[in-house]
Amino acid sequence: MRMNAGVREHLLHFDNKYSPEIMDFATNTALKTSKYMFVTTYKKQQYGYCTHCNTESPTHLPKLSDRAIAEREMCGCPAAMYMGEEYERKKHGEKVICPNCKSECIVRYAGLGHSRLKDYAYFVFYEKSQLNPNMIVARGIHAARDYGSDYKKVKTQLETEVYYTFEYKKMGKMIKPISTSWRDPYHLGFSKTVHCWQHPYTYCYYSRESIKNAVENTPFAWSGWEGYDYKDMLEFFDLYARYPAIEYLNKLGHKQIVTEKLESGHVNYNVINWKGKTIESFFKLTKEEYVIIKQQKLDITSWLLNLIRMNKERDFGLTIQEIAALADNTRNESTILDILKTLGKYMSFREAVKYCLKQSQKRKLYVHSFYMLTRDWQDYVSECKKLNMDTSDMRVLFPNDLYKAHMNTTAQIRYAEDKVLTEKIIARLPELSRFYFKSDLFFIRPAENSFELVEEGKALNHCVGRYAKDYAYGKTCILFIRKAADPDQAFFTVEVNNDQLIQVRGFHNCAPEDKDLIDFIDKFKNEVLPSKKKKQKNKVPA
């Protein structure tokens, strides 16, 4: 295996052997589900071999003979006492508890093929450096147990796949065997970015106990790693090695900033000076701003810091408390730009923020979502203009309850639109009168207004309401089937287009099944809707 001198020197930090602690973690944690009980039967007695503790024992109590059961029955003992589960043989795939090591095992019939029974796991184990007492190292280890041959001789096999080194105030290093092509021999190389390396579909374990032992008496002992559980912790130690100021962030209660950095890979908005010497320079804040934040017990996030910076650069005039409230209700700069673009035309940014905060207090819908609030406000203003309302009046432009005012203007526009559609539908009714048809049990008639269509859709839980415009403008015909005994109750809806029956739908779009109703619909088609032959017969010759 080829490797350069730097890689060869770096590997000296690692122990080539696997300690008992690593073997124990691999077997009992990473491969904790890889425990089987292979069963065989000899003279009606089943025996199980536990692959975890390597012991064999009976899997059930021997069944009593009929004579023995009869003798016990004579003493008053019911026979059912000797026919329970503990007297039954274990079945393939069943989960059992090993009587020796108390591990949960999966039963496997020894006589069945198990050549493909292999279990894999990947884990990260931390250790102290073999050369530098202030460094910590970690190994990404692939573990496997192969039950393909003799299940009584299975051992946990380990192979190190990745080598990590962490030195205080320096960037972490990741070394892994890589190949430049399929034909080239493998060689070791450095990776510039420390990250978790694992096989697809394999969960990555890591040992927190190994971290505790590795960081003892090293600068990493003060990193505050105990408060984090992010992936396999490799990226955390890489971050701390490069930016020791994380120690002060943890002590001062600013864990959120570190979490953001780990989860996103970078903190947005360029608001963190990771090499700052003081907490104020770290956050790019003045002492007065930081004191107010601590007094108000505000959570410092990169988004809050970005809003503070924007407040200074654009002279918004917001207080720290108002900025914190704005940070809670927004998520990105696009929302700020929306507020500036919409509400900012009529008032200062500070007044606009106060208005938004007031509306969020009135309606939970707008809490943490100023984006939705600005969208609703834009819709509201557009509807006000359609209704010829005076948008120069600030009381109209910025109602006391935006949600309520928006619902009101929407209802007015819908009413106005429905009124127009209804007028057109009423105008069509004379030509639709030919569709009136009735029998002793049912009758059919056209819808008389748009409101009826909406109510029909609600009652039968289908989408006929969206046909209102097409119906009003003569693109289709919507008819209602009613029972003669219950004329006001929605029953079935019919669509007719070009004198052709398109569809008949009832509750939840169901088709008619009642024989009387089907006969009524067929009679309607034959007597009211002209067939193609009738059309051709009545066609006026040219």
Side-chain angles (χ1 to χ4, degrees), residues 436-451:
Y436 281 94
F437 185 74
K438 67 178 181 178
S439 68
D440 294 336
L441 298 176
F442 309 101
F443 70 89
I444 189 168
R445 67 172 178 82
E448 296 178 354
N449 52 60
S450 61
F451 178 77

Side-chain angles (χ1 to χ4, degrees), residues 126 134-137 164-173 194 215 218-225 233-247 250 258 261-262 274-275:
Y126 291 80
N134 288 323
M135 286 180 61
I136 64 172
V137 299
Y164 301 93
T165 58
F166 302 99
E167 186 174 2
Y168 190 60
K169 293 186 178 180
K170 291 186 179 180
M171 182 178 290
K173 293 182 179 180
V194 169
V215 303
T218 71
F220 294 91
W222 313 105
S223 62
W225 66 272
M233 294 296 288
L234 292 168
E235 294 174 32
F236 172 82
F237 284 112
D238 176 46
L239 186 66
Y240 179 74
R242 288 182 287 139
Y243 306 119
I246 288 176
E247 174 186 344
N250 291 327
V258 182
K261 178 71 173 176
L262 291 172
W274 289 98
K275 296 183 179 180

Side-chain angles (χ1 to χ4, degrees), residues 6 17 56 72 101 116 159 175 190 232 259 285 323 415 436 438 441 459 462 467 483 485:
K17 300 178 181 179
E56 190 172 55
R72 282 162 175 74
C101 65
R116 296 185 180 182
E159 181 182 359
I175 310 170
F190 284 103
D232 49 18
T259 302
L285 298 172
I323 294 174
Y415 175 78
Y436 281 94
K438 67 178 181 178
L441 298 176
H462 57 42
Y467 287 83
K483 292 180 180 179

Side-chain angles (χ1 to χ4, degrees), residues 13 18 72 126 150 152 183 187 195 206 210 241 272 292 352 366 370 372 383 407 423 431-432 492 527 539:
H13 291 279
Y18 298 111
R72 282 162 175 74
Y126 291 80
D150 190 349
K152 292 185 178 181
R183 295 182 179 179
H187 68 280
H195 61 276
Y206 76 96
S210 72
I272 303 294
I292 294 174
Y366 299 137
F370 279 7
M372 183 178 293
E383 291 170 350
M407 291 297 101
E423 289 175 354
E431 68 174 274
L432 298 173
F492 272 83
E527 297 186 18
K539 189 175 181 180

Side-chain angles (χ1 to χ4, degrees), residues 416-456:
E417 291 176 348
D418 287 350
K419 186 178 179 181
V420 172
L421 294 178
T422 296
E423 289 175 354
K424 290 185 175 295
I425 291 173
I426 292 174
R428 289 195 65 199
L429 289 179
E431 68 174 274
L432 298 173
S433 61
R434 62 191 180 90
F435 291 121
Y436 281 94
F437 185 74
K438 67 178 181 178
S439 68
D440 294 336
L441 298 176
F442 309 101
F443 70 89
I444 189 168
R445 67 172 178 82
E448 296 178 354
N449 52 60
S450 61
F451 178 77
E452 273 196 337
L453 287 173
V454 174
E455 292 302 309
E456 181 87 353

Side-chain angles (χ1 to χ4, degrees), residues 200-353:
Y201 315 113
T202 303
Y203 181 80
C204 180
Y205 296 87
Y206 76 96
S207 170
R208 291 186 71 85
E209 185 65 25
S210 72
I211 295 178
K212 181 179 178 181
N213 296 330
V215 303
E216 188 177 3
N217 298 325
T218 71
F220 294 91
W222 313 105
S223 62
W225 66 272
E226 299 90 344
Y228 297 85
D229 185 16
Y230 182 73
K231 293 183 179 178
D232 49 18
M233 294 296 288
L234 292 168
E235 294 174 32
F236 172 82
F237 284 112
D238 176 46
L239 186 66
Y240 179 74
R242 288 182 287 139
Y243 306 119
I246 288 176
E247 174 186 344
Y248 300 104
L249 289 181
N250 291 327
K251 290 180 178 178
L252 294 173
H254 301 308
K255 178 182 173 183
Q256 178 63 28
I257 290 292
V258 182
T259 302
E260 286 182 4
K261 178 71 173 176
L262 291 172
E263 292 179 349
S264 65
H266 64 281
V267 174
N268 295 325
Y269 321 117
N270 192 28
V271 292
I272 303 294
N273 175 18
W274 289 98
K275 296 183 179 180
K277 300 298 182 182
T278 64
I279 195 67
E280 293 85 4
S281 63
F282 191 88
F283 289 135
K284 299 182 180 181
L285 298 172
T286 65
K287 288 186 177 180
E288 292 76 13
E289 290 171 336
Y290 184 73
V291 168
I292 294 174
I293 288 174
K294 293 298 289 183
Q295 288 176 346
Q296 298 293 324
K297 298 180 179 180
L298 303 176
D299 292 330
I300 294 183
T301 63
S302 57
W303 176 232
L304 173 67
L305 296 174
N306 185 53
L307 287 179
I308 293 175
R309 184 184 67 179
M310 291 177 64
N311 184 53
K312 296 176 185 177
E313 293 176 350
R314 303 198 181 195
D315 195 23
F316 288 152
L318 299 174
T319 65
I320 294 294
Q321 294 87 343
E322 290 169 342
I323 294 174
L326 181 61
D328 287 339
N329 289 277
T330 55
R331 291 294 179 266
N332 48 55
E333 291 188 8
S334 63
T335 306
I336 304 300
L337 295 177
D338 278 342
I339 296 175
L340 286 170
K341 185 178 179 180
T342 54
L343 282 68
K345 295 179 181 179
Y346 308 97
M347 56 177 64
S348 69
F349 183 75
R350 185 181 184 187
E351 291 173 331
V353 169

